Amino acid sequence: MPPQIDKAVARRFLAIRHLLAPPRALPATPESVLAVIDRLGSLQFDPLEVAGRNHDLVLNARVAGYRRELTDELLYGRRLLFEAYNKSLNLLPTRELPYYRIAWESGDAGRAGGLLVDQAPLVEKLLAAITVQGPKSSADFERTEAISWWWGPTSAVRAVLEALAVSGRLGLARRNGNRRYYDLTERLFPADLLEIRVPEREQRRHKLLSRYRAHGLLGASGSGELWLGIGPAALRGELRAELVDRGEIVSVAVEGLKGHRYIVADELPLLAQAEREIAAEATGAEPRPGDGGPGCSFLAPLDPIMWDRQALLPLYDFDYRWEVYTPAAKRRWGYYVLPILFGDRLVGRIEPRIGRGSKEVRILGLGWEEAFHPLEAPGFVPAFAEALNAYLGFAGADTLVPATDRAHRPLFNALAGRVRVRRGSSRPARGATNSATRPAASA
């Protein structure tokens, strides 16, 4: 029988191993970005930049004074990171590239490869131009007719460039906003790395391990998106058994969660640390998650700790759904809402907006779980202020425009002197939601 872990220990373990206890404990260096990705294996990339890009928000919760340039330099300068499809489009360590070639091979054998055959003259033209002139984007070529593609109708040039990247013949040289510039793969990565061939089964096993590295406490089931690109359930079961037999993951049982859960074996000392901390608190000691005072962080919607949405309710008593693709009338919480972690508990939600062309961050929505009272929770106000200041720094802002709901005024009054908050009434920004109209447990 696997060892039994109670919920409190599981929450503490996840906070520690996700480098969130305490939050923002790493210095603002490229090496810190690499340390986070080494721990989590991959970071999900999403181009939406409403409150910040997803991977930047993940890193801002863990790296003090984080700046997006730190990651961009690793991606497009030093090329110690690269973009490839894993769970989705992910940022991955370049040294692991041979374990993700299967995504290129699958793309070449699938719809992308079919498009390249159908559009052979255009393929030849684009490759010739990039070979001679260097990195190109779709805007560098004459506009072509729209064709059917994964995301809907798009220009043939854009679709072919994407297909060439999906099949591994082109790679991402850089991004300018959301515009992608492609170059030949052999000019982006070392030749000896590209020559390495890893057997397909080993690649799939590594991809499965990457999901356990990312979350830290996944089970064998869950939503289908957790396991994209690995193979059918039967194969995943075989590969999981191999990982257990090889001693790379360890089976545990967690209070309130169905089935076995799996911890990366190298992280068992972190589980032991979590057990010691919770045992000490049971005797009356002050909570010290990660051997530090409880900190506060705003989590990205696609942060790896949030990947297993089905586990959030039984483990944290927290319900969450990313609602960017939900019609506005059906949204329960808001368009781009970030969960708030305090210590090892999810205590509320915040919906920030970075002002375009201004030095302000607006809070469109703010809400707390029913049993959580921010002004009464020991240590929360200074921890929340620190998280807000970290977000303002990340956004390049110096002023916070508070949520307009009067119910939040006592909290923002308590933040006076800790955070630069705009005083006086202000009209809600477009898309703002009056949190007073929402259920107590919503944002």
Side-chain angles (χ1 to χ4, degrees):
M1 291 291 292
Q4 178 79 28
I5 299 172
D6 65 40
K7 289 195 287 188
V9 170
R11 290 192 297 265
R12 183 63 54 85
F13 165 73
L14 285 173
I16 293 171
R17 66 89 49 191
H18 273 275
L19 303 170
L20 293 168
R24 299 175 298 280
L26 298 173
T29 65
E31 287 67 34
S32 293
V33 173
L34 293 174
V36 173
I37 295 180
D38 282 345
R39 170 65 61 85
L40 304 179
S42 62
L43 295 183
Q44 196 161 340
F45 179 90
D46 187 87
L48 283 178
E49 194 165 358
V50 176
R53 297 178 301 180
N54 180 77
H55 69 276
D56 289 323
L57 291 168
V58 171
L59 291 162
N60 189 58
R62 295 158 171 86
V63 178
Y66 172 76
R67 307 182 311 278
R68 61 187 293 166
E69 293 80 11
L70 297 176
T71 304
D72 288 351
E73 172 61 22
L74 293 170
L75 280 166
Y76 314 127
R78 296 166 64 184
R79 299 202 180 278
L80 297 178
L81 301 176
F82 78 112
E83 293 185 20
Y85 283 91
N86 186 20
K87 171 181 175 286
S88 58
L89 185 59
N90 279 235
L91 308 186
L92 301 158
T94 301
R95 68 175 185 276
E96 295 184 10
L97 185 150
Y99 291 94
Y100 292 96
R101 292 188 66 100
I102 189 170
W104 293 348
E105 294 157 2
S106 298
D108 199 40
R111 187 172 182 182
L115 178 70
L116 298 180
V117 172
D118 294 340
Q119 298 284 336
L122 182 56
V123 170
E124 184 177 352
K125 174 184 175 180
L126 300 184
L127 287 176
I130 291 172
T131 299
V132 174
Q133 300 171 25
K136 297 284 187 183
S137 78
S138 59
D140 293 321
F141 299 95
E142 294 179 6
R143 189 170 183 85
T144 55
E145 76 283 359
I147 63 174
S148 177
W149 190 227
W150 280 315
W151 326 118
T154 191
S155 72
V157 166
R158 180 181 178 186
V160 167
L161 287 172
E162 288 185 0
L164 286 167
V166 168
S167 62
R169 297 173 68 179
L170 294 180
L172 197 62
R174 68 180 187 275
R175 287 179 181 266
N176 184 2
N178 282 329
R179 187 173 297 284
R180 292 164 291 179
Y181 288 80
Y182 299 96
D183 201 355
L184 302 178
T185 299
E186 57 265 31
R187 292 204 290 231
L188 299 176
F189 303 108
D192 56 350
L193 190 68
L194 292 174
E195 290 173 0
I196 297 174
R197 294 295 186 271
V198 175
E200 179 182 326
R201 189 178 186 88
E202 190 174 342
Q203 289 188 62
R204 293 186 184 276
R205 187 170 61 232
H206 183 86
K207 286 167 72 71
L208 180 62
L209 177 60
S210 78
R211 312 304 161 86
Y212 290 104
R213 290 170 63 191
H215 183 269
L217 203 56
L218 284 181
S221 58
S223 64
E225 66 176 340
L226 283 171
W227 315 110
L228 288 174
I230 297 172
L235 175 60
R236 295 200 304 269
E238 294 174 10
L239 298 175
R240 187 178 303 106
E242 291 174 12
L243 289 172
V244 172
D245 291 342
R246 291 158 60 99
E248 296 186 61
I249 60 175
V250 175
S251 173
V252 297
V254 179
E255 176 192 6
L257 299 181
K258 296 179 181 179
H260 293 183
R261 294 274 155 167
Y262 298 89
I263 292 175
V264 176
D266 290 345
E267 296 180 0
L268 288 175
L270 301 181
L271 176 62
Q273 178 183 349
E275 292 172 333
R276 289 193 301 270
E277 290 182 3
I278 295 300
E281 290 168 21
T283 66
E286 291 292 324
R288 292 186 59 81
D291 199 27
C296 181
S297 52
F298 307 148
L299 301 181
L302 303 174
D303 192 300
I305 199 173
M306 302 296 294
W307 278 11
D308 191 0
R309 300 282 167 80
Q310 296 177 12
L312 292 177
L313 196 58
L315 192 57
Y316 292 94
D317 296 321
F318 189 82
D319 191 12
Y320 180 74
R321 180 181 178 185
W322 193 37
E323 297 181 310
V324 290
Y325 301 114
T326 302
K330 295 184 178 181
R331 288 179 194 140
R332 181 179 176 190
W333 295 303
Y335 177 66
Y336 204 102
V337 173
L338 312 182
I340 300 172
L341 184 75
F342 178 51
D344 58 15
R345 298 302 302 264
L346 292 167
V347 299
R349 301 166 180 81
I350 187 169
E351 187 176 10
R353 287 293 183 277
I354 299 173
R356 301 299 181 187
S358 73
K359 290 286 187 179
E360 296 178 342
V361 166
R362 288 180 174 268
I363 305 301
L364 304 191
L366 182 65
W368 310 103
E369 292 298 279
E370 188 172 0
F372 185 78
H373 304 284
L375 292 176
E376 299 175 11
F380 180 75
V381 170
F384 188 55
E386 183 180 330
L388 287 170
N389 283 322
Y391 188 81
L392 288 172
F394 162 70
D398 57 20
T399 305
L400 186 75
V401 180
T404 57
D405 180 7
R406 291 186 178 185
H408 299 308
R409 287 184 182 177
L411 174 60
F412 286 101
N413 288 338
L415 294 171
R418 301 178 186 268
V419 181
R420 185 173 178 180
V421 178
R422 176 190 285 182
R423 292 299 177 188
S425 61
S426 61
R427 291 182 299 173
R430 179 176 295 180
T433 307
N434 183 347
S435 58
T437 65
R438 296 175 176 174
S442 66

